[in-house]
Coordinates of all heavy atoms in Angstrom, one line a residue:
M1 N 13.4 -61.1 -61.0 CA 12.9 -61.1 -62.4 C 12.5 -59.7 -62.8 O 12.2 -58.8 -62.0 CB 11.5 -61.9 -62.4 CG 11.8 -63.4 -62.2 SD 10.3 -64.4 -62.5 CE 9.5 -64.0 -61.0
G2 N 12.5 -59.5 -64.1 CA 12.2 -58.1 -64.5 C 12.5 -58.0 -66.0 O 13.0 -58.9 -66.6
L3 N 12.1 -56.9 -66.5 CA 12.4 -56.6 -68.0 C 13.6 -55.7 -68.1 O 13.8 -54.8 -67.4 CB 11.2 -55.8 -68.6 CG 9.9 -56.6 -68.7 CD1 8.8 -55.7 -69.1 CD2 10.0 -57.7 -69.6
G4 N 14.5 -56.1 -69.0 CA 15.6 -55.3 -69.4 C 15.4 -54.7 -70.8 O 14.5 -55.2 -71.5
S5 N 16.2 -53.8 -71.1 CA 16.0 -53.2 -72.4 C 17.3 -52.6 -72.9 O 18.2 -52.3 -72.1 CB 14.9 -52.1 -72.3 OG 15.3 -51.1 -71.5
F6 N 17.4 -52.4 -74.2 CA 18.5 -51.6 -74.7 C 18.1 -50.8 -75.9 O 17.1 -51.1 -76.5 CB 19.7 -52.4 -75.0 CG 19.5 -53.5 -76.1 CD1 19.8 -53.1 -77.4 CD2 19.0 -54.7 -75.7 CE1 19.6 -54.1 -78.3 CE2 18.8 -55.6 -76.8 CZ 19.1 -55.3 -78.1
F7 N 18.9 -49.8 -76.2 CA 18.4 -48.9 -77.3 C 19.1 -49.5 -78.6 O 20.3 -49.9 -78.6 CB 18.9 -47.5 -77.1 CG 18.1 -46.8 -76.0 CD1 18.7 -46.6 -74.8 CD2 16.8 -46.4 -76.2 CE1 18.0 -45.9 -73.7 CE2 16.1 -45.8 -75.2 CZ 16.7 -45.6 -74.0
K8 N 18.3 -49.4 -79.6 CA 18.9 -49.8 -80.9 C 18.6 -48.8 -81.9 O 17.5 -48.3 -82.1 CB 18.1 -51.1 -81.3 CG 18.6 -51.8 -82.6 CD 17.8 -53.0 -82.8 CE 18.2 -53.7 -84.1 NZ 17.5 -54.9 -84.4
R9 N 19.5 -48.3 -82.6 CA 19.4 -47.2 -83.6 C 18.8 -47.8 -84.9 O 19.3 -48.7 -85.4 CB 20.7 -46.5 -83.8 CG 20.5 -45.3 -84.7 CD 21.7 -44.4 -84.6 NE 21.8 -43.7 -83.3 CZ 21.2 -42.7 -82.9 NH1 20.3 -42.2 -83.7 NH2 21.4 -42.2 -81.7
N10 N 17.8 -47.1 -85.3 CA 17.2 -47.3 -86.6 C 17.9 -46.5 -87.6 O 17.8 -45.2 -87.6 CB 15.7 -47.0 -86.5 CG 15.0 -47.3 -87.9 OD1 15.6 -47.1 -88.9 ND2 13.8 -47.8 -87.8
K11 N 18.8 -47.0 -88.5 CA 19.6 -46.2 -89.4 C 18.8 -45.5 -90.4 O 19.2 -44.4 -90.9 CB 20.6 -47.1 -90.1 CG 21.6 -47.7 -89.1 CD 22.7 -48.5 -89.8 CE 23.7 -49.0 -88.8 NZ 24.6 -50.0 -89.3
K12 N 17.6 -45.9 -90.7 CA 16.8 -45.2 -91.8 C 16.3 -43.9 -91.3 O 16.5 -42.9 -92.0 CB 15.6 -46.1 -92.2 CG 15.9 -46.9 -93.4 CD 14.6 -47.6 -93.9 CE 14.9 -48.2 -95.2 NZ 13.6 -48.9 -95.7
N13 N 15.7 -43.9 -90.2 CA 15.1 -42.5 -89.8 C 15.7 -42.1 -88.4 O 15.2 -41.1 -87.9 CB 13.6 -42.7 -89.7 CG 13.2 -43.8 -88.7 OD1 14.0 -44.3 -87.9 ND2 12.0 -44.3 -88.8
K14 N 16.7 -42.7 -88.0 CA 17.5 -42.3 -86.8 C 16.7 -42.2 -85.6 O 17.0 -41.6 -84.7 CB 18.2 -41.0 -87.1 CG 18.9 -40.9 -88.4 CD 20.4 -40.5 -88.1 CE 21.2 -40.3 -89.4 NZ 22.2 -41.3 -89.5
I15 N 15.6 -43.0 -85.6 CA 14.8 -43.0 -84.4 C 15.3 -44.2 -83.5 O 15.5 -45.3 -84.0 CB 13.3 -43.2 -84.7 CG1 12.8 -42.0 -85.4 CG2 12.4 -43.6 -83.4 CD1 11.4 -42.1 -85.9
E16 N 15.5 -43.9 -82.1 CA 15.9 -45.0 -81.2 C 14.7 -45.8 -80.8 O 13.6 -45.1 -80.4 CB 16.7 -44.5 -80.1 CG 18.0 -44.0 -80.4 CD 18.8 -43.6 -79.2 OE1 18.2 -43.2 -78.2 OE2 20.0 -43.7 -79.3
E17 N 14.8 -47.0 -80.7 CA 13.6 -47.8 -80.2 C 14.2 -48.7 -79.1 O 15.3 -49.1 -79.1 CB 13.0 -48.7 -81.4 CG 14.1 -49.6 -82.0 CD 13.4 -50.3 -83.2 OE1 12.2 -50.5 -83.3 OE2 14.2 -50.8 -84.1
V18 N 13.3 -49.1 -78.2 CA 13.6 -49.9 -77.1 C 13.4 -51.3 -77.4 O 12.3 -51.6 -77.8 CB 12.8 -49.5 -75.8 CG1 13.2 -50.5 -74.7 CG2 13.2 -48.1 -75.4
V19 N 14.4 -52.2 -77.3 CA 14.2 -53.7 -77.5 C 14.2 -54.3 -76.2 O 15.1 -54.2 -75.4 CB 15.3 -54.2 -78.4 CG1 15.2 -55.7 -78.6 CG2 15.4 -53.4 -79.7
E20 N 13.1 -55.0 -75.8 CA 13.0 -55.5 -74.5 C 13.6 -56.8 -74.4 O 13.6 -57.7 -75.3 CB 11.5 -55.7 -74.3 CG 10.6 -54.5 -74.2 CD 10.9 -53.6 -73.0 OE1 11.6 -54.1 -72.0 OE2 10.7 -52.4 -73.1
S21 N 14.2 -57.1 -73.3 CA 14.7 -58.4 -72.9 C 14.2 -58.8 -71.5 O 13.8 -57.9 -70.8 CB 16.2 -58.5 -72.9 OG 16.7 -57.6 -71.9
H22 N 14.2 -60.0 -71.2 CA 13.6 -60.5 -70.0 C 14.6 -61.2 -69.2 O 15.2 -62.2 -69.7 CB 12.4 -61.4 -70.3 CG 11.6 -61.7 -69.1 ND1 10.6 -60.8 -68.6 CD2 11.5 -62.7 -68.3 CE1 10.1 -61.3 -67.5 NE2 10.6 -62.5 -67.3
I23 N 14.8 -60.8 -68.0 CA 15.8 -61.5 -67.1 C 15.0 -62.3 -66.1 O 14.1 -61.8 -65.3 CB 16.6 -60.4 -66.3 CG1 17.2 -59.4 -67.2 CG2 17.6 -61.1 -65.4 CD1 17.8 -58.2 -66.5
D24 N 15.3 -63.6 -66.0 CA 14.6 -64.5 -65.0 C 15.8 -65.0 -64.1 O 16.8 -65.5 -64.5 CB 14.0 -65.7 -65.7 CG 12.7 -65.3 -66.3 OD1 11.9 -64.6 -65.6 OD2 12.4 -65.7 -67.4
I25 N 15.6 -64.9 -62.8 CA 16.4 -65.5 -61.8 C 15.7 -66.5 -61.0 O 14.7 -66.3 -60.3 CB 17.0 -64.4 -60.9 CG1 17.7 -63.2 -61.6 CG2 17.9 -65.0 -59.8 CD1 18.1 -62.1 -60.8
N26 N 16.2 -67.7 -61.1 CA 15.7 -68.8 -60.3 C 16.2 -68.7 -58.8 O 17.2 -69.3 -58.5 CB 16.1 -70.2 -60.9 CG 15.5 -71.4 -60.2 OD1 14.7 -71.2 -59.2 ND2 16.1 -72.5 -60.4
S27 N 15.4 -68.1 -58.0 CA 15.8 -67.9 -56.6 C 16.0 -69.2 -55.8 O 16.7 -69.2 -54.9 CB 14.8 -66.9 -55.9 OG 13.6 -67.4 -56.0
A28 N 15.3 -70.2 -56.3 CA 15.4 -71.5 -55.5 C 16.8 -72.1 -55.7 O 17.3 -72.8 -54.8 CB 14.3 -72.5 -56.1
G29 N 17.4 -71.8 -56.7 CA 18.7 -72.4 -57.0 C 19.8 -71.5 -56.7 O 21.0 -71.8 -56.6
C30 N 19.5 -70.2 -56.4 CA 20.6 -69.2 -56.1 C 21.1 -69.3 -54.6 O 20.3 -69.4 -53.7 CB 19.9 -67.8 -56.3 SG 21.0 -66.4 -55.8
D31 N 22.4 -69.3 -54.6 CA 23.1 -69.4 -53.3 C 23.6 -68.0 -52.8 O 24.3 -68.0 -51.8 CB 24.2 -70.5 -53.2 CG 25.3 -70.2 -54.2 OD1 25.3 -69.0 -54.7 OD2 26.1 -71.1 -54.5
G32 N 23.3 -67.0 -53.5 CA 23.7 -65.7 -53.2 C 25.2 -65.4 -53.2 O 25.7 -64.5 -52.5
C33 N 25.9 -66.0 -54.1 CA 27.4 -65.8 -54.3 C 27.7 -64.5 -54.8 O 28.8 -64.0 -54.6 CB 27.9 -66.9 -55.1 SG 27.5 -66.8 -56.9
E34 N 26.8 -63.8 -55.4 CA 26.9 -62.5 -56.0 C 27.9 -62.3 -57.2 O 28.3 -61.3 -57.6 CB 27.4 -61.5 -54.9 CG 26.4 -61.3 -53.8 CD 26.7 -60.2 -52.9 OE1 26.5 -59.0 -53.2 OE2 27.3 -60.4 -51.8
K35 N 28.3 -63.5 -57.7 CA 29.1 -63.5 -58.9 C 28.4 -62.7 -60.1 O 29.1 -61.9 -60.8 CB 29.5 -64.9 -59.4 CG 30.5 -65.6 -58.4 CD 30.8 -67.0 -58.9 CE 31.8 -67.6 -57.9 NZ 32.1 -69.0 -58.2
C36 N 27.2 -62.9 -60.2 CA 26.5 -62.2 -61.3 C 26.4 -60.7 -61.2 O 26.7 -60.0 -62.1 CB 25.0 -62.8 -61.4 SG 24.1 -62.7 -59.9
S37 N 26.1 -60.2 -59.9 CA 26.0 -58.9 -59.7 C 27.4 -58.2 -59.8 O 27.5 -57.0 -60.2 CB 25.4 -58.5 -58.4 OG 26.1 -59.1 -57.3
I38 N 28.4 -58.9 -59.4 CA 29.8 -58.3 -59.5 C 30.2 -58.3 -60.9 O 30.8 -57.3 -61.4 CB 30.8 -59.1 -58.7 CG1 30.4 -59.0 -57.2 CG2 32.2 -58.7 -59.0 CD1 31.2 -60.0 -56.3
A39 N 29.9 -59.3 -61.7 CA 30.3 -59.3 -63.1 C 29.5 -58.4 -64.0 O 30.0 -58.0 -65.1 CB 30.2 -60.8 -63.6
C40 N 28.3 -58.1 -63.7 CA 27.4 -57.3 -64.6 C 28.0 -56.0 -64.9 O 28.3 -55.2 -63.9 CB 26.1 -57.2 -64.0 SG 25.0 -56.1 -65.0
P41 N 28.3 -55.7 -66.1 CA 28.9 -54.4 -66.4 C 28.0 -53.2 -66.3 O 28.5 -52.1 -66.4 CB 29.4 -54.6 -67.9 CG 28.5 -55.5 -68.5 CD 28.1 -56.5 -67.4
N42 N 26.7 -53.4 -66.1 CA 25.8 -52.3 -66.0 C 25.1 -52.3 -64.7 O 24.1 -51.5 -64.6 CB 24.8 -52.5 -67.2 CG 25.4 -52.4 -68.5 OD1 26.1 -51.4 -68.8 ND2 25.4 -53.5 -69.3
N43 N 25.6 -53.0 -63.7 CA 25.0 -52.8 -62.4 C 23.5 -53.1 -62.3 O 22.8 -52.4 -61.6 CB 25.4 -51.5 -61.8 CG 25.3 -51.4 -60.3 OD1 25.4 -52.5 -59.6 ND2 25.1 -50.2 -59.8
V44 N 23.1 -54.1 -63.0 CA 21.6 -54.4 -63.2 C 21.1 -55.2 -61.9 O 20.0 -55.0 -61.5 CB 21.3 -55.2 -64.4 CG1 19.9 -55.6 -64.4 CG2 21.7 -54.3 -65.7
L45 N 22.0 -56.0 -61.4 CA 21.6 -57.0 -60.3 C 22.1 -56.6 -59.0 O 23.2 -56.0 -58.8 CB 22.2 -58.4 -60.7 CG 21.8 -58.9 -62.1 CD1 22.6 -60.1 -62.4 CD2 20.3 -59.1 -62.2
I46 N 21.3 -57.0 -57.9 CA 21.7 -56.6 -56.6 C 21.2 -57.7 -55.6 O 20.0 -58.3 -55.9 CB 21.1 -55.3 -56.1 CG1 21.7 -54.8 -54.8 CG2 19.6 -55.2 -56.2 CD1 21.4 -53.3 -54.5
L47 N 21.9 -58.0 -54.6 CA 21.5 -59.0 -53.6 C 20.7 -58.3 -52.6 O 21.2 -57.3 -51.9 CB 22.7 -59.7 -53.0 CG 22.4 -60.9 -52.1 CD1 21.8 -62.1 -53.0 CD2 23.6 -61.4 -51.4
A48 N 19.4 -58.6 -52.4 CA 18.5 -57.9 -51.4 C 17.9 -59.1 -50.5 O 17.2 -59.9 -51.1 CB 17.5 -57.1 -52.1
D49 N 18.1 -59.0 -49.3 CA 17.6 -60.0 -48.3 C 17.9 -61.4 -48.8 O 17.1 -62.3 -48.8 CB 16.1 -59.8 -48.3 CG 15.6 -58.6 -47.6 OD1 16.4 -58.0 -46.7 OD2 14.6 -58.0 -48.0
D50 N 19.2 -61.6 -49.2 CA 19.7 -62.9 -49.5 C 19.1 -63.4 -50.8 O 19.3 -64.6 -51.2 CB 19.6 -63.9 -48.4 CG 20.4 -63.6 -47.3 OD1 21.5 -63.0 -47.4 OD2 20.0 -63.9 -46.1
I51 N 18.4 -62.6 -51.6 CA 17.9 -63.0 -52.9 C 18.4 -62.2 -53.9 O 18.3 -60.9 -53.9 CB 16.3 -62.9 -52.8 CG1 15.8 -63.8 -51.8 CG2 15.7 -63.3 -54.2 CD1 14.3 -63.6 -51.5
M52 N 18.9 -62.7 -55.0 CA 19.5 -61.9 -56.1 C 18.3 -61.3 -56.9 O 17.3 -62.1 -57.3 CB 20.3 -62.8 -57.1 CG 21.1 -62.0 -58.2 SD 21.9 -60.6 -57.5 CE 23.2 -61.3 -56.5
S53 N 18.3 -60.0 -57.1 CA 17.2 -59.4 -57.7 C 17.6 -58.5 -58.8 O 18.8 -58.1 -58.9 CB 16.5 -58.5 -56.7 OG 16.2 -59.4 -55.5
V54 N 16.7 -58.0 -59.6 CA 17.0 -57.0 -60.7 C 16.8 -55.7 -60.1 O 15.7 -55.3 -59.6 CB 16.0 -57.2 -61.9 CG1 16.3 -56.2 -62.9 CG2 16.2 -58.6 -62.4
R55 N 18.0 -55.0 -60.1 CA 17.9 -53.5 -59.5 C 17.3 -52.5 -60.5 O 16.5 -51.7 -60.1 CB 19.4 -53.1 -59.2 CG 19.5 -51.7 -58.5 CD 20.9 -51.3 -58.4 NE 21.6 -51.2 -59.7 CZ 21.4 -50.0 -60.4 NH1 20.7 -49.0 -60.0 NH2 22.0 -50.0 -61.6
D56 N 17.9 -52.7 -61.7 CA 17.3 -51.7 -62.8 C 17.4 -52.3 -64.1 O 18.4 -52.4 -64.8 CB 18.3 -50.5 -62.7 CG 17.8 -49.4 -63.7 OD1 16.8 -49.7 -64.4 OD2 18.4 -48.3 -63.8
S57 N 16.3 -52.9 -64.5 CA 16.1 -53.6 -65.8 C 16.4 -52.7 -66.9 O 16.7 -53.2 -68.1 CB 14.8 -54.3 -65.8 OG 13.7 -53.3 -65.9
Q58 N 16.1 -51.5 -66.8 CA 16.3 -50.5 -68.0 C 17.7 -50.4 -68.5 O 17.9 -50.1 -69.6 CB 15.8 -49.2 -67.6 CG 14.2 -49.1 -67.3 CD 13.3 -49.6 -68.4 OE1 13.5 -49.1 -69.5 NE2 12.5 -50.6 -68.1
V59 N 18.6 -50.7 -67.7 CA 20.1 -50.6 -68.2 C 20.7 -52.0 -68.6 O 21.8 -52.0 -68.9 CB 20.9 -49.9 -67.1 CG1 20.4 -48.5 -66.9 CG2 20.9 -50.7 -65.8
C60 N 19.9 -53.0 -68.6 CA 20.4 -54.2 -69.1 C 20.6 -54.3 -70.5 O 19.8 -53.8 -71.3 CB 19.4 -55.4 -68.7 SG 19.9 -57.0 -69.4
K61 N 21.9 -54.7 -71.0 CA 22.1 -54.7 -72.4 C 22.1 -56.1 -73.0 O 22.6 -56.4 -74.1 CB 23.6 -54.1 -72.6 CG 23.8 -52.7 -72.1 CD 23.0 -51.8 -73.0 CE 23.3 -50.3 -72.7 NZ 22.7 -49.9 -71.5
S62 N 21.6 -57.1 -72.3 CA 21.4 -58.5 -72.8 C 22.7 -59.1 -73.2 O 22.8 -59.9 -74.1 CB 20.4 -58.6 -73.9 OG 19.2 -58.0 -73.5
C63 N 23.8 -58.7 -72.5 CA 25.1 -59.3 -72.8 C 25.3 -60.7 -72.3 O 26.1 -61.4 -72.8 CB 26.2 -58.4 -72.2 SG 26.3 -58.5 -70.4
R64 N 24.5 -61.1 -71.3 CA 24.5 -62.5 -70.8 C 25.8 -62.9 -70.1 O 26.1 -64.1 -69.9 CB 24.1 -63.5 -71.9 CG 22.7 -63.3 -72.5 CD 22.4 -64.3 -73.5 NE 21.0 -64.2 -73.8 CZ 20.4 -63.3 -74.7 NH1 21.2 -62.4 -75.2 NH2 19.1 -63.3 -74.9
V65 N 26.5 -61.9 -69.6 CA 27.7 -62.2 -68.8 C 27.2 -62.9 -67.5 O 27.8 -63.8 -67.0 CB 28.5 -60.9 -68.4 CG1 29.5 -61.1 -67.3 CG2 29.2 -60.4 -69.7
C66 N 26.1 -62.4 -66.9 CA 25.5 -62.9 -65.7 C 25.1 -64.4 -65.9 O 25.4 -65.3 -65.1 CB 24.3 -62.2 -65.3 SG 23.0 -62.0 -66.4
V67 N 24.6 -64.7 -67.1 CA 24.2 -66.2 -67.4 C 25.4 -67.0 -67.4 O 25.4 -68.1 -66.9 CB 23.4 -66.2 -68.7 CG1 23.1 -67.6 -69.1 CG2 22.2 -65.3 -68.7
A68 N 26.5 -66.5 -68.0 CA 27.7 -67.4 -68.2 C 28.4 -67.6 -66.9 O 29.0 -68.7 -66.7 CB 28.6 -66.7 -69.2
I69 N 28.4 -66.6 -66.0 CA 29.1 -66.8 -64.8 C 28.4 -67.4 -63.6 O 29.1 -67.9 -62.7 CB 29.7 -65.3 -64.3 CG1 30.9 -65.4 -63.5 CG2 28.5 -64.6 -63.6 CD1 31.7 -64.2 -63.2
C70 N 27.1 -67.5 -63.7 CA 26.4 -68.2 -62.6 C 26.7 -69.6 -62.5 O 26.5 -70.5 -63.4 CB 24.9 -68.0 -62.7 SG 23.9 -68.8 -61.4
P71 N 27.2 -70.1 -61.4 CA 27.7 -71.5 -61.2 C 26.4 -72.4 -61.1 O 26.6 -73.7 -61.2 CB 28.5 -71.5 -59.9 CG 28.0 -70.3 -59.1 CD 27.5 -69.3 -60.2
N72 N 25.3 -71.9 -60.8 CA 24.1 -72.7 -60.6 C 23.0 -72.6 -61.7 O 21.9 -73.1 -61.5 CB 23.5 -72.4 -59.3 CG 24.4 -72.6 -58.1 OD1 25.3 -73.6 -58.2 ND2 24.4 -71.7 -57.1
D73 N 23.4 -72.0 -62.8 CA 22.6 -71.9 -64.0 C 21.2 -71.2 -63.5 O 20.1 -71.7 -64.0 CB 22.3 -73.2 -64.6 CG 23.6 -73.7 -65.3 OD1 24.4 -72.8 -65.8 OD2 23.8 -74.9 -65.3
C74 N 21.2 -70.2 -62.8 CA 20.0 -69.6 -62.2 C 19.4 -68.5 -63.1 O 18.2 -68.2 -62.9 CB 20.2 -69.0 -60.8 SG 20.7 -70.1 -59.6
I75 N 20.2 -68.0 -64.0 CA 19.8 -66.8 -64.8 C 19.5 -67.1 -66.2 O 20.3 -67.8 -66.9 CB 20.8 -65.7 -64.7 CG1 21.1 -65.4 -63.2 CG2 20.2 -64.4 -65.3 CD1 22.2 -64.4 -63.0
T76 N 18.4 -66.6 -66.7 CA 18.1 -66.7 -68.1 C 17.8 -65.3 -68.6 O 17.2 -64.5 -67.9 CB 17.0 -67.6 -68.6 OG1 15.9 -67.3 -67.8 CG2 17.3 -69.1 -68.3
V77 N 18.4 -64.8 -69.7 CA 18.0 -63.6 -70.3 C 17.5 -63.8 -71.7 O 18.3 -64.4 -72.6 CB 19.3 -62.7 -70.4 CG1 19.0 -61.4 -71.1 CG2 19.8 -62.4 -69.0
N78 N 16.3 -63.4 -72.0 CA 15.7 -63.6 -73.4 C 15.6 -62.3 -74.1 O 15.5 -61.2 -73.5 CB 14.4 -64.2 -73.2 CG 14.4 -65.6 -72.6 OD1 15.3 -66.4 -72.9 ND2 13.6 -65.8 -71.6
Ligands
SF4_101 S1 22.6 -59.6 -69.4 FE1 24.4 -58.3 -69.0 S2 23.7 -56.3 -68.6 FE2 22.0 -57.7 -68.3 S3 21.9 -58.2 -66.2 FE3 23.2 -59.8 -67.2 S4 25.3 -59.1 -67.1 FE4 23.9 -57.4 -66.6
SF4_102 S1 25.8 -66.0 -59.8 FE1 23.9 -67.4 -59.7 S2 24.0 -68.3 -57.7 FE2 25.4 -66.6 -57.6 S3 24.1 -64.9 -56.8 FE3 24.0 -64.8 -59.1 S4 22.1 -65.9 -59.5 FE4 22.7 -66.5 -57.4

């Protein structure tokens, strides 16, 4: 579990702001197949001690590729 974020450009004053997203991994349903971590284009997820974890939430772009590929519906990204 952890917080993800991405930068969003404000066209009016060109200030970048961080938009937070939240990654939840249901470890009880996770079988450690690593499909999510392999598919993630930003290397956000990592298997640690047989538990899928968030390695670096700051680089998550909320693309939800991990959500789509998980065979056990373990991941939610808000
Ligand atoms: S939402 Fe996208 S960037 Fe974020 S962890 Fe999932 S696959 Fe990676
Ligand atoms: S794809 Fe789903 S079941 Fe596989 S390691 Fe990721 S969270 Fe666990």
Side-chain angles (χ1 to χ4, degrees):
M1 290 189 284
L3 290 175
S5 64
F6 64 93
F7 290 107
K8 183 179 181 181
R9 183 163 294 279
N10 181 326
K11 289 180 181 171
K12 265 192 173 176
N13 55 20
K14 310 234 183 248
I15 293 174
E16 286 188 332
E17 57 186 339
V18 175
V19 179
E20 297 290 342
S21 65
H22 190 79
I23 307 166
D24 282 314
I25 302 174
N26 176 12
S27 56
C30 174
D31 61 12
C33 70
E34 295 189 82
K35 288 181 179 176
C36 55
S37 56
I38 293 168
C40 175
N42 299 300
N43 199 23
V44 173
L45 306 169
I46 188 168
L47 193 68
D49 296 328
D50 295 328
I51 299 171
M52 188 51 65
S53 308
V54 177
R55 181 190 65 82
D56 184 357
S57 62
Q58 295 300 307
V59 294
C60 175
K61 300 292 190 287
S62 301
C63 66
R64 295 181 173 78
V65 167
C66 56
V67 176
I69 204 165
C70 177
N72 299 326
D73 294 327
C74 295
I75 307 174
T76 55
V77 176
N78 299 311

